[in-house]
Amino acid sequence: MTTFDFQERIKQFQDLIDTSRRIVFFWWAGVSTESWVPDFRSKDGLYNQHDVQFEQYQPEYLLSHSCLYDEPKVFFEYYKQKMDCRGIQPNITHITLANLEKSWKLSAVITQNIDGLHQKAWSKKVFEVHGTTQRVYCDACGKLYDPDILFTFTWSIPYCDCGWMLRPDVTLYEEQLPMKARQESVLALRTSDLFIIWWTSLTVYPANTLIQYYWGEHFVIINRDSTSQDRFATVLFHENLGEVFSKIQV
Ligand SMILES: [Zn+2]
């Protein structure tokens, strides 16, 4: 694709944004990769990082319900090392989306990312279909804790005042996705007039099933690789998200 094509597509995208009032942005991994938070399945993702300490475990197991409850020390050690997003700042995409929300153009960001970077960029309407590392609670009494505790605790397992174990409000493997986030996402999609989707993978059920709830006319796809959905796009980008969003005026 030539630069000219890119500029034309940006212009089309900008026109769609300018004329829309209920944009929904959906992503399936990747946005935060541009803020250096590793996603799970990409080439440089969490699952492909070689790590001797955890070599005997499958990556899925280390972020699973079984690991949390059967081997909590292993779970929290891995979590502490790999899931710490505290020093990471929102990128241009997070900031542009937050500005679209402030301009009353965006009804929701639906995300599988668990890093809380949208909230750091001051987005409010964020539906986290895989939960978030930014909420920590006691599984017994429900008391909420500062999320930093999972990176600063000195015991081998972080405990609540009541004596039970704490956990992040992240949907682990073997757990159900949060119903509320899913219902809110469906509602936002049904009333949306522009659906922008970024994905690096189409294979991971069930978040990809949300797409069927969009009934609007325009569909913008941004992805690095081709997918079977590309032919439905009003505007299609194979550029990086940051390249596209840095050109958009809000
Ligand atoms: Zn408790």
Side-chain angles (χ1 to χ4, degrees):
M1 284 179 193
T2 66
T3 313
F4 175 75
D5 284 334
F6 179 58
Q7 282 164 357
E8 270 302 299
R9 283 177 287 128
I10 287 288
K11 189 177 171 306
Q12 283 179 303
F13 187 30
Q14 181 74 56
D15 287 347
L16 287 176
I17 286 180
D18 290 346
T19 51
S20 300
R21 291 288 173 274
R22 294 182 303 280
I23 300 169
V24 169
F25 185 89
F26 176 92
W27 73 61
W28 194 240
V31 166
S32 296
T33 324
E34 294 179 25
S35 289
W36 311 112
V37 180
D39 62 7
F40 290 109
R41 291 185 187 281
S42 71
K43 182 160 60 59
D44 307 315
L46 212 48
Y47 287 3
N48 294 309
Q49 291 174 9
H50 185 68
D51 206 322
V52 176
Q53 190 183 358
F54 301 107
E55 210 168 38
Q56 57 178 307
Y57 301 103
Q58 289 292 322
E60 279 90 353
Y61 174 74
L62 291 162
L63 290 169
S64 72
H65 185 90
S66 305
C67 183
L68 174 62
Y69 292 94
D70 297 345
E71 297 185 81
K73 281 185 194 173
V74 174
F75 177 91
F76 284 110
E77 186 53 38
Y78 187 74
Y79 190 91
K80 210 175 190 175
Q81 288 189 27
K82 305 289 184 186
M83 309 300 280
D84 189 352
C85 310
R86 287 176 299 165
I88 296 157
Q89 295 308 318
N91 61 39
I92 185 72
T93 305
H94 298 103
I95 293 163
T96 307
L97 290 169
N99 289 337
L100 283 170
E101 186 184 319
K102 272 185 224 135
S103 311
W104 304 97
K105 285 186 158 291
L106 184 126
S107 17
V109 172
I110 304 170
T111 180
Q112 66 152 178
N113 290 341
I114 55 176
D115 49 39
L117 287 176
H118 284 293
Q119 288 87 345
K120 263 194 192 172
W122 299 100
S123 278
K124 303 270 183 274
K125 295 171 188 163
V126 184
F127 304 139
E128 293 160 310
V129 291
H130 281 180
T132 176
T133 55
Q134 301 304 300
R135 250 188 330 268
V136 168
Y137 66 98
C138 167
D139 213 5
C141 74
K143 185 174 171 184
L144 289 170
Y145 281 78
D146 184 323
D148 286 3
I149 196 168
L150 297 192
F151 305 105
T152 57
F153 65 94
T154 45
W155 298 81
S156 53
I157 295 169
Y159 289 109
C160 177
D161 298 338
C162 78
W164 196 257
M165 189 172 77
L166 299 178
R167 63 161 292 173
D169 195 4
V170 167
T171 311
L172 302 173
Y173 283 93
E174 309 155 357
E175 293 182 335
Q176 295 282 327
L177 295 185
M179 274 312 285
K180 190 164 172 280
R182 188 179 165 82
Q183 284 163 350
E184 287 172 326
S185 303
V186 167
L187 203 64
L189 270 178
R190 282 208 162 137
T191 55
S192 165
D193 59 2
L194 176 60
F195 188 24
I196 307 167
I197 183 160
W198 158 262
W199 53 43
T200 52
S201 160
L202 266 183
T203 54
V204 189
Y205 179 84
N208 51 355
T209 63
L210 280 172
I211 294 160
Q212 65 185 294
Y213 296 106
Y214 176 61
W215 299 341
E217 198 180 335
H218 297 295
F219 187 26
V220 175
I221 295 180
I222 308 167
N223 59 11
R224 281 179 293 221
D225 306 309
S226 300
T227 71
S228 59
Q229 308 292 306
D230 286 2
R231 62 205 155 104
F232 301 118
T234 314
V235 188
L236 175 66
F237 293 99
H238 287 315
E239 286 80 10
N240 279 328
L241 207 48
E243 284 177 68
V244 175
F245 270 84
S246 60
K247 302 281 188 302
I248 293 302
Q249 312 283 326
V250 181

